[in-house]
Amino acid sequence: MKYVNNYKLNLITPNEINDFGRFNSELGTVLKFIQISDNKTATRDILNLGEYKNISTNTVNMINEYTGAKISTENAIGGRVNMGNAWKELMDDIRTEGRTEGRIEGQSKGEEMLAKLLKKLDPGSAEFIKALNATSNERQEMYIKYGIK
């Protein structure tokens, strides 16, 4: 190890910082978001306060990279992102994604339940035809009647 210099290395630990206002650059913003990235409530609260309302796209990209966030920079104006709007857009995207996944899962579950029901019925019987043409409520009654969960 005689050829390796012994340089002093300063590490910054976001969780140990109490006053991010001491930073004269947006590094404080990045560190703050790293600190609260696991706390959705704190993230929402800080964005609603407007303290970090207008952030450069480079800073947003760093936040996204270091925290795994997906904050959009598409609507940046003059290289700056309105974080309140960006957060709202992100939450709207997440909700839409969740609804889509829920619909797909619900459709799949419905198909699975219909298949179970049809297996219990005789093909061509009145009940079989009724199951195929039933409304959602009628089908739910049939699931209960035939013990399908």
Side-chain angles (χ1 to χ4, degrees):
M1 298 291 291
K2 70 179 185 176
Y3 297 108
V4 178
N5 289 324
N6 188 12
Y7 291 109
K8 181 179 178 183
L9 180 63
N10 294 313
L11 296 178
I12 299 173
T13 309
N15 290 336
E16 294 176 5
I17 300 171
N18 296 321
D19 183 10
F20 292 93
R22 293 174 34 197
F23 289 88
N24 294 325
S25 68
E26 289 187 337
L27 175 61
T29 303
V30 173
L31 295 173
K32 179 66 176 179
F33 277 88
I34 290 171
Q35 183 187 60
I36 64 171
S37 64
D38 291 336
N39 186 335
K40 291 176 186 164
T41 303
T43 304
R44 183 189 65 231
D45 291 347
I46 207 162
L47 290 170
N48 287 338
L49 289 173
E51 185 178 346
Y52 298 100
K53 191 172 190 170
N54 191 20
I55 299 175
S56 75
T57 55
N58 288 337
T59 301
V60 173
N61 289 334
M62 286 175 55
I63 291 168
N64 286 341
E65 185 67 30
Y66 298 143
T67 66
K70 296 176 184 172
I71 301 168
S72 174
T73 58
E74 284 182 21
N75 295 325
I77 298 171
R80 313 279 305 164
V81 176
N82 181 323
M83 289 296 280
N85 291 344
W87 181 255
K88 184 182 178 306
E89 290 170 13
L90 176 62
M91 296 310 295
D92 289 346
D93 289 348
I94 290 170
R95 283 187 192 102
T96 301
E97 228 175 79
R99 285 184 189 114
T100 301
E101 287 176 12
R103 285 186 189 109
I104 291 168
E105 190 175 311
Q107 183 177 357
S108 176
K109 179 73 174 168
E111 290 169 357
E112 182 182 307
M113 290 178 71
L114 178 58
K116 286 180 182 179
L117 177 61
L118 293 176
K119 284 180 183 178
K120 289 191 174 211
L121 302 173
D122 292 326
S125 70
E127 283 288 290
F128 189 90
I129 294 168
K130 180 181 174 185
L132 289 176
N133 297 314
T135 65
S136 178
N137 289 339
E138 291 170 336
R139 204 170 278 145
Q140 291 300 322
E141 290 174 10
M142 292 182 83
Y143 295 147
I144 292 168
K145 179 179 176 181
Y146 290 97
I148 296 170
K149 296 180 183 180

